[in-house]
């Protein structure tokens, strides 16, 4: 993991309580990469980010970091219904602005990370730029889990979610998929390890 590749900027982000930490950097090929720890334990190992594009070079490598900005938010909002009358939205944020040269064209992509006391999130942002429009054909974001967690899952299926929940280790999903895909009136499972999201997992501790 080449997280030291942008040592001149602060490329780490910590939750308000200091327990969750996210690190970001570029690999030696200039591909965005992040990892997440909780109480010092690596929950998400170094995982790469990016997109494949139709009829254009992919947004996966050759990036350079132009700017990193940090901020924080602490606000409340009122849900329409639910157990709580107010929800606290408290997080620290880091926006990484990057550029990639594709021939004579410079393409820009930002990634905004948010770290809360109970987790981390991110989103891709495409700022206004001179590039012509492009079509994303595949998102290549990885989430390399830090352990063989217990997972509660159902098979990933384009047509249905009508399956019983399975409980197993992540490493056991492939072996249990045939048993998990029970007959259905309309079903199109998409892989031997693909599971439906959201996916709940739990580490041993």
């Amino acid at each position: 993991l080449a997280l030291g590749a942008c040592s001149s900027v602060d490329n780490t982000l910590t939750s308000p309580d200091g327990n969750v930490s996210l690190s970001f950097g570029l690999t030696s090929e200039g591909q965005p990469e992040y990892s997440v720890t909780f109480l010092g334990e690596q929950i998400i190992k170094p995982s790469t980010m990016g997109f494949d594009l139709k009829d254009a070079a992919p947004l996966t490598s050759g990036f350079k970091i132009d700017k990193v900005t940090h901020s924080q938010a602490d606000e409340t909002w009122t849900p329409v219904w639910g157990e709580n009358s107010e929800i606290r939205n408290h997080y620290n944020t880091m926006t990484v602005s990057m550029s990639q040269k594709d021939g004579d064209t410079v393409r820009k992509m930002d990634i905004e990370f948010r770290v809360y006391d109970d987790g981390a999130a991110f989103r891709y942002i495409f700022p206004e730029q001179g590039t012509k429009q492009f079509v994303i054909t595949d998102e290549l974001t990885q989430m390399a889990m830090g352990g063989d967690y217990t997972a509660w899952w159902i098979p990933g299926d384009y047509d249905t979610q009508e399956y019983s929940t399975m409980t197993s280790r992540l490493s056991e999903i492939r072996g249990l998929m045939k048993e998990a895909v029970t007959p259905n009136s309309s079903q199109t499972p998409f892989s031997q390890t693909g599971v439906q999201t959201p996916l709940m997992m739990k580490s041993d501790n």
Side-chain angles (χ1 to χ4, degrees):
L1 174 63
L3 291 178
C6 43
S7 57
S8 61
V9 295
D10 183 5
N11 58 350
T12 60
L13 186 63
T14 304
S15 60
D17 66 4
N19 291 335
V20 181
S21 181
L22 181 145
S23 296
F24 176 84
L26 298 175
T27 67
S28 57
E29 293 81 29
Q31 182 164 19
E33 188 173 57
Y34 76 102
S35 62
V36 179
T37 62
F38 175 67
L39 295 174
E41 179 185 350
Q42 196 162 61
I43 302 302
I44 298 179
K45 296 189 282 191
S47 301
T48 54
M49 311 174 81
F51 296 95
D52 271 338
L53 303 179
K54 182 179 180 181
D55 302 325
L59 293 167
T60 54
S61 61
F63 281 99
K64 70 179 187 67
I65 296 176
D66 298 320
K67 183 172 64 170
V68 177
T69 56
H70 289 258
S71 63
Q72 56 188 357
D74 191 359
E75 57 195 11
T76 57
W77 58 278
T78 304
V80 176
W81 60 275
E83 295 180 4
N84 300 306
S85 60
E86 278 190 339
I87 305 291
R88 186 181 185 193
N89 194 27
H90 188 202
Y91 60 87
N92 293 326
T93 184
M94 172 175 70
T95 301
V96 182
S97 300
M98 299 175 296
S99 57
Q100 177 205 56
K101 195 156 185 186
D102 178 27
D104 293 332
T105 304
V106 175
R107 302 188 297 189
K108 297 180 180 182
M109 183 173 79
D110 298 350
I111 306 175
E112 181 188 272
F113 296 95
R114 293 182 180 182
V115 179
Y116 303 78
D117 289 345
D118 60 354
F122 59 83
R123 64 177 177 165
Y124 294 94
I125 300 169
F126 295 99
E128 188 174 342
Q129 52 196 296
T131 320
K132 64 179 182 179
Q133 69 177 21
F134 53 83
V135 176
I136 294 172
T137 57
D138 197 8
E139 182 184 348
L140 304 175
T141 305
Q142 296 180 341
M143 290 187 183
M145 296 296 109
D148 194 10
Y149 303 143
T150 299
W152 288 261
W153 59 276
I154 64 172
D157 194 309
Y158 291 120
D159 292 333
T160 184
Q161 296 187 35
E162 298 297 320
Y163 296 111
S164 297
T165 299
M166 303 288 288
T167 304
S168 73
R169 296 285 184 170
L170 288 172
S171 63
E172 297 170 331
I173 290 175
R174 183 185 298 275
L176 292 170
M177 188 61 73
K178 189 173 181 182
E179 173 188 337
V181 179
T182 52
N184 225 292
S185 61
S186 176
Q187 56 190 151
T188 311
F190 51 74
S191 85
Q192 288 301 303
T193 54
V195 297
Q196 199 66 277
T197 55
L199 173 66
M200 186 167 75
M201 292 177 281
K202 186 177 182 181
S203 64
D204 290 343
N205 61 0

